[in-house]
C-alpha cells in the first residue's frame, strides 16, 4: 500500500488486525500495512442501513447513511457510491480506506465506526 493513499484515521490491517492510523508518522509505514477489503460488514459498522427493494426483475440492495443535514450517502449492492440510479465512480471501491477517503472528500466529515 502506498503512503499517498492514506490519511490519519484510516483503517488498515496491521499484522492481520484492523487498526486505525493514529499519527501522520504511522503513514510512513504504509508498506508494512495491508488494506482491508470493503464488505457489507464494514459499511454496516460505519452506520449504513441496508435496504432491499423487490422489482419484477429481481431484488436490489442498497446501503444508506443518513446525514444530519438530511442528505444521504448511498451505496449499491456492489458497495459503489450512487447518485440516484448512476454509479458515481468509473472504478470499484475495494478497500475500507478508499471509502473513508471518498466520504471525507465529499462531506468534510470522517467516516468512523458507529458504537
Amino acid at each position: 500500500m502506498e503512503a499517498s493513499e492514506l490519511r490519519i484515521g484510516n483503517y488498515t490491517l496491521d499484522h492481520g488486525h484492523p487498526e486505525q492510523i493514529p499519527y501522520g508518522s504511522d503513514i510512513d509505514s504504509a508498506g508494512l500495512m495491508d488494506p482491508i477489503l470493503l464488505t457489507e460488514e464494514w459499511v454496516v459498522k460505519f452506520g449504513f442501513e441496508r435496504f432491499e427493494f423487490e422489482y419484477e426483475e429481481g431484488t436490489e440492495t442498497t446501503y444508506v447513511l443518513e446525514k444530519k443535514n438530511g442528505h444521504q450517502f448511498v451505496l449499491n449492492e456492489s458497495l459503489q457510491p450512487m447518485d440516484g440510479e448512476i454509479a458515481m465512480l468509473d472504478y470499484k471501491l475495494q478497500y475500507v480506506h478508499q471509502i473513508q477517503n471518498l466520504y471525507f472528500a465529499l462531506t468534510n466529515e470522517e467516516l468512523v465506526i458507529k458504537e
Side-chain angles (χ1 to χ4, degrees):
M1 203 162 33
E2 298 293 324
S4 61
E5 297 177 57
L6 298 174
R7 296 175 43 258
I8 294 171
N10 282 155
Y11 290 94
T12 63
L13 288 176
D14 187 11
H15 297 90
H17 301 286
E19 297 286 335
Q20 200 171 14
I21 297 174
Y23 307 106
S25 60
D26 291 337
I27 293 172
D28 294 336
S29 304
L32 303 174
M33 300 174 208
D34 292 310
I36 300 172
L37 285 175
L38 185 59
T39 62
E40 178 182 8
E41 178 184 354
W42 273 97
V43 296
V44 169
K45 281 182 185 182
F46 286 135
F48 285 81
E49 190 173 350
R50 181 179 187 197
F51 293 94
E52 284 193 12
F53 302 96
E54 293 202 24
Y55 300 100
E56 290 180 15
E57 301 83 25
T59 303
E60 179 181 304
T61 302
T62 59
Y63 301 88
V64 177
L65 182 61
E66 295 283 342
K67 295 183 39 52
K68 296 176 199 137
N69 62 6
H71 292 108
Q72 298 176 330
F73 193 85
V74 180
L75 305 174
N76 67 13
E77 56 196 324
S78 298
L79 305 180
Q80 293 303 108
M82 301 291 292
D83 183 14
E85 301 277 328
I86 301 169
M88 290 173 53
L89 305 172
D90 289 335
Y91 66 93
K92 184 174 182 349
L93 293 176
Q94 295 179 307
Y95 303 112
V96 168
H97 71 276
Q98 291 174 324
I99 195 169
Q100 286 183 281
N101 293 346
L102 176 63
Y103 186 82
F104 183 81
L106 294 173
T107 67
N108 204 33
E109 296 177 14
E110 297 292 344
L111 185 60
V112 295
I113 292 175
K114 305 293 184 212
E115 299 299 325

